[in-house]
Amino acid sequence: MQIFLARNNVQAGPYNLEQLNIMLASGEVLLDDLIWHEGLDQWQRVGNVTNNQTVYRPTGATTPDANDSIINNVTVFPEDTSNTKDNNSISLDRLYGKPERSKNVKANMTTNRHQTPHNNVSLNKTALKKTVADNDKVIGDVVLAPIMSRILATALNGLLYVLAILPLVMALTKMDVDYTKFQNIQDMDAAYQYSMSLMESIPSSTLMMSQVMVFGLFALQLLFIIMRGQSLGKLITGIRVVDQTTHRLPSFIKLVGTRTLLLFIIYNLLFSFTSFLGFVIIAIHYYMASKSPENIGWHDKLAKTLVVKADSSQLVKKSKSE
């Protein structure tokens, strides 16, 4: 039996049954991948034909369920067996996000003609965990988040912070604040004393409301970052932070210690001196990311992370065998 697999619009194979079961057991082949072999009417989800088990014991042709079908009315013409070894090597590299070892063309899933790599097949949305646009950058099994999505996420986080301190800002606008007290960087003690005197002039109810909103926002942000690798801004824009190597949620130290708390301290210090300097550093980060093949800015270099389009598979912990 010749078995073909597909992931992210890319076909690999053929494999025999023993090879498939070895890859299923090791986690190299996922239950959400696609499978086709002679006897199947169409491409199907691997989990559908294995009953969501990590071993495949075919008993004959499988009749697909109407709700779980992946590609309808597809005729498959696998490549000639004379080229099987070469095609298998190239397709396997692409399927699992490894560098290509050859410049040869790959086999398209719906025709027996050789085509160039950009001619991908069209899959039903139930087979894809994310939609890949023509201008998206793909690394392995993840799609890099567009720079504008990352900028928008940062802006949304800033807006949420402004909303949290809005009661305090409104109270300060009603006071005669001498902003020159904050311009002398060499006399920070005087600026601190003046800010404390301003706080004492603000009604305690306003201060309490602002503190509750700020701490509530920080707690919510931290919860989503730990559980999902997403700040609220990233959650809204559909992007996530993942580890550069595993493409899954980073370790707690990388995610919270380096990328969250350390960056919070750095930017808090920058904005305390001058807001202009803080915005310059943010601009430098996104400029570096726009020039990097992997959209890596200095935040990402520091924490060894990537920012990608969010996908549920990134939340699944890798098994020890992967």
Side-chain angles (χ1 to χ4, degrees):
M1 175 187 293
Q2 290 190 332
I3 301 172
F4 293 84
L5 300 171
R7 181 190 298 172
N8 293 341
N9 293 343
V10 179
Q11 173 184 319
Y15 307 104
N16 59 37
L17 183 60
E18 182 182 3
Q19 289 173 319
L20 172 64
N21 284 327
I22 290 174
M23 291 189 290
L24 276 169
S26 68
E28 190 176 8
V29 171
L30 307 176
L31 295 180
D32 285 331
D33 290 340
L34 305 183
I35 186 173
W36 181 89
H37 60 74
E38 189 173 352
L40 294 180
D41 293 337
Q42 57 191 0
W43 288 86
Q44 296 189 54
R45 180 177 171 272
V46 172
N48 290 353
V49 299
T50 66
N51 293 321
N52 289 320
Q53 302 298 314
T54 55
V55 61
Y56 184 33
R57 299 186 180 93
T59 57
T62 303
T63 302
D65 183 79
N67 294 325
D68 294 328
S69 62
I70 303 301
I71 302 177
N72 296 318
N73 301 321
V74 171
T75 302
V76 179
F77 300 94
E79 292 296 283
D80 294 336
T81 55
S82 60
N83 294 326
T84 295
K85 183 177 180 181
D86 185 52
N87 288 334
N88 178 40
S89 172
I90 302 166
S91 298
L92 185 61
D93 287 338
R94 287 194 186 148
L95 184 63
Y96 297 113
K98 300 174 184 177
E100 290 183 36
R101 289 173 286 180
S102 173
K103 296 297 183 180
N104 293 340
V105 295
K106 70 177 183 67
N108 185 279
M109 293 163 57
T110 58
T111 179
N112 61 347
R113 297 177 181 176
H114 286 288
Q115 298 188 11
T116 53
H118 65 271
N119 288 332
N120 294 327
V121 298
S122 175
L123 297 182
N124 191 298
K125 288 184 179 179
T126 57
L128 292 175
K129 296 179 181 178
K130 49 190 169 283
T131 302
V132 181
D134 292 338
N135 57 347
D136 278 338
K137 296 180 181 179
V138 180
I139 296 180
D141 58 349
V142 296
V143 181
L144 297 180
I147 299 299
M148 289 308 300
S149 294
R150 297 175 61 175
I151 294 174
L152 179 59
T154 300
L156 288 172
N157 286 329
L159 178 60
L160 290 172
Y161 177 74
V162 171
L163 292 175
I165 64 171
L166 190 59
L168 184 61
V169 173
M170 295 298 293
L172 289 173
T173 57
K174 298 177 182 179
M175 302 172 61
D176 186 16
V177 180
D178 183 6
Y179 292 100
T180 60
K181 296 283 188 180
F182 302 100
Q183 294 177 356
N184 187 0
I185 299 178
Q186 296 179 347
D187 195 1
M188 295 299 296
D189 185 61
Y192 174 76
Q193 294 297 331
Y194 181 65
S195 64
M196 292 304 296
S197 66
L198 289 175
M199 293 298 104
E200 293 173 358
S201 303
I202 297 174
S204 58
S205 60
T206 302
L207 280 175
M208 183 174 294
M209 181 186 300
S210 184
Q211 288 173 350
V212 168
M213 292 176 67
V214 170
F215 284 117
L217 174 63
F218 284 165
L220 196 59
Q221 291 275 37
L222 192 60
L223 177 64
F224 274 95
I225 288 171
I226 293 172
M227 300 300 295
R228 301 182 60 84
Q230 296 171 297
S231 63
L232 293 176
K234 286 184 172 63
L235 180 67
I236 294 170
T237 54
I239 60 179
R240 170 180 289 124
V241 175
V242 298
D243 188 274
Q244 286 184 11
T245 304
T246 65
H247 294 174
R248 307 289 175 91
L249 282 186
S251 66
F252 183 86
I253 294 176
K254 284 184 179 181
L255 192 60
V256 177
T258 305
R259 192 173 176 105
T260 302
L261 297 182
L262 181 59
L263 287 180
F264 176 78
I265 294 171
I266 291 174
Y267 280 110
N268 191 50
L269 291 174
L270 290 173
F271 278 99
S272 66
F273 283 106
T274 168
S275 59
F276 175 76
L277 182 59
F279 285 117
V280 168
I281 300 301
I282 291 175
I284 291 174
H285 166 67
Y286 287 121
Y287 177 78
M288 289 177 59
S290 67
K291 297 299 181 181
S292 166
E294 297 180 340
N295 290 2
I296 293 178
W298 72 268
H299 295 179
D300 311 299
K301 284 183 178 292
L302 187 66
K304 293 181 172 56
T305 54
L306 294 173
V307 181
V308 302
K309 287 188 175 181
D311 185 274
S312 59
S313 65
Q314 298 150 3
L315 301 176
V316 180
K317 291 183 180 180
K318 281 198 171 185
S319 62
K320 292 181 180 180
S321 60
E322 285 186 85

